[in-house]
Amino acid sequence: MGEMKQEELADIYLAILKEELMPAMGCTEPIAIAYCSAKAREVLGTLPDQVQIGVSGNIVKNVKSVIVPNTDGLKGIAASAAAGIVGGRPEKVLEVIAEVTSEQKQQMREFLAQVPIKIQPLETEEQLDILVTLHAEKEQASVRISGFHTNIVQVIKNGETLYESGVVAATEVKLTDRSLLKVEDIYAFAEQVEISKVQELLDRQIECNWAIAEEGLSHPYGANIGKVLLRSEERRVGKECR
């Protein structure tokens, strides 16, 4: 890499790291629905009495059977929306439902039982596309996320467009270009980057991953892969790694 190119690529790689290592409370697709719904609830200004959710096919596939965090086991698209509407804090972005009370969890179940929620496919070329529309008597608010999980491209209230950035796939709000990623350049970046520039990102990632690992080893989740690996490698790994 030339000197100028090296500096430019370093800035690009740092930007990509920040985008990819954004904390999320659970699987990102249901959280994106919760975030979109929480934002729509904020714009509406009250709890809705009707909910319409339009989603791309890829979202249906990725959310259908996923347990939504902080809902006591609720699954799917409607549950994701209910979590965002009832307990969501949109300013927390992908940690939108990280702080949910026991009372709110019960309210989510009541909301799902009482409020009509219509889910339909969106005609879109985007892999990730979510449109949430909320109704409360004569009031209506809709928010659309498209392209990537935090990319709000449209906000409408009572027919008035409050924000729009290219309806599908925002033009001025994009992820950093991943086509510039090359193995040799990534290796050079990892070897040469100033640790101070990535310290906070990596410390947060290590903290999150370690907490996830400890939780997985302490409880019977899924296939218990961590426990299986430790049992099979117990002699080599040693008890201190448990």
Side-chain angles (χ1 to χ4, degrees):
M1 290 188 290
E3 220 175 300
M4 180 63 82
K5 184 181 178 184
Q6 182 179 358
E7 292 177 2
E8 291 172 350
L9 281 175
D11 289 340
I12 289 168
Y13 285 6
L14 281 170
I16 291 172
L17 273 176
K18 289 176 182 178
E19 292 166 358
E20 292 291 338
L21 298 182
M22 178 180 288
M25 184 70 180
C27 181
T28 45
E29 276 80 5
I31 295 300
I33 293 174
Y35 174 48
C36 192
S37 302
K39 190 66 180 178
R41 159 71 171 82
E42 181 182 66
V43 174
L44 186 67
T46 187
L47 281 175
D49 50 40
Q50 291 182 59
V51 178
Q52 293 172 300
I53 307 169
V55 287
S56 55
N58 199 53
I59 291 293
V60 175
K61 174 180 73 71
N62 289 340
V63 179
K64 186 175 183 296
S65 301
V66 174
I67 292 175
V68 185
N70 275 342
T71 63
D72 286 344
L74 296 176
K75 295 181 181 179
I77 293 171
S80 302
I85 291 166
V86 173
R89 294 178 56 188
E91 72 275 9
K92 303 276 285 183
V93 197
L94 294 185
E95 294 180 288
V96 59
I97 53 172
E99 300 175 9
V100 173
T101 65
S102 297
E103 183 181 1
Q104 286 173 325
K105 292 177 185 178
Q106 179 58 35
Q107 289 171 349
M108 289 174 200
R109 294 183 180 276
E110 293 171 359
F111 185 87
L112 286 168
Q114 297 169 6
V115 177
I117 300 178
K118 183 178 181 181
I119 302 168
Q120 54 195 18
L122 275 180
E123 291 188 13
T124 175
E125 295 181 1
E126 297 290 331
Q127 290 284 306
L128 191 153
D129 213 339
I130 303 163
L131 174 61
V132 175
T133 303
L134 307 182
H135 304 262
E137 297 183 354
K138 295 181 180 180
E139 301 286 306
Q140 178 178 309
S142 66
V143 173
R144 187 170 188 170
I145 286 177
S146 186
F148 57 95
H149 302 89
T150 59
N151 190 32
I152 293 177
V153 296
Q154 190 179 57
V155 179
I156 298 174
K157 183 174 184 182
N158 298 330
E160 179 185 355
T161 299
L162 305 181
Y163 174 77
E164 187 170 67
S165 65
V167 185
V168 178
T171 52
E172 71 269 21
V173 184
K174 293 182 179 179
L175 290 173
T176 306
D177 185 3
R178 266 62 171 168
S179 69
L180 297 172
L181 291 169
K182 296 179 181 178
V183 173
E184 60 267 31
D185 292 340
I186 294 171
Y187 181 80
F189 170 77
E191 287 285 303
Q192 299 166 19
V193 66
E194 293 179 29
I195 293 300
S196 61
K197 292 184 177 181
V198 294
Q199 186 81 46
E200 185 178 352
L201 278 174
L202 297 182
D203 282 349
R204 184 180 67 194
Q205 192 71 6
I206 290 167
E207 182 182 356
C208 288
N209 286 347
W210 187 253
I212 291 167
E214 288 189 316
E215 179 72 12
L217 291 175
S218 303
H219 298 87
Y221 293 114
N224 293 297
I225 297 300
K227 291 180 181 178
V228 170
L229 289 173
L230 281 178
R231 280 199 298 269
S232 66
E233 296 287 327
E234 189 166 1
R235 290 182 182 177
R236 187 173 69 82
V237 175
K239 293 181 179 181
E240 69 275 5
C241 292
R242 278 187 263 177

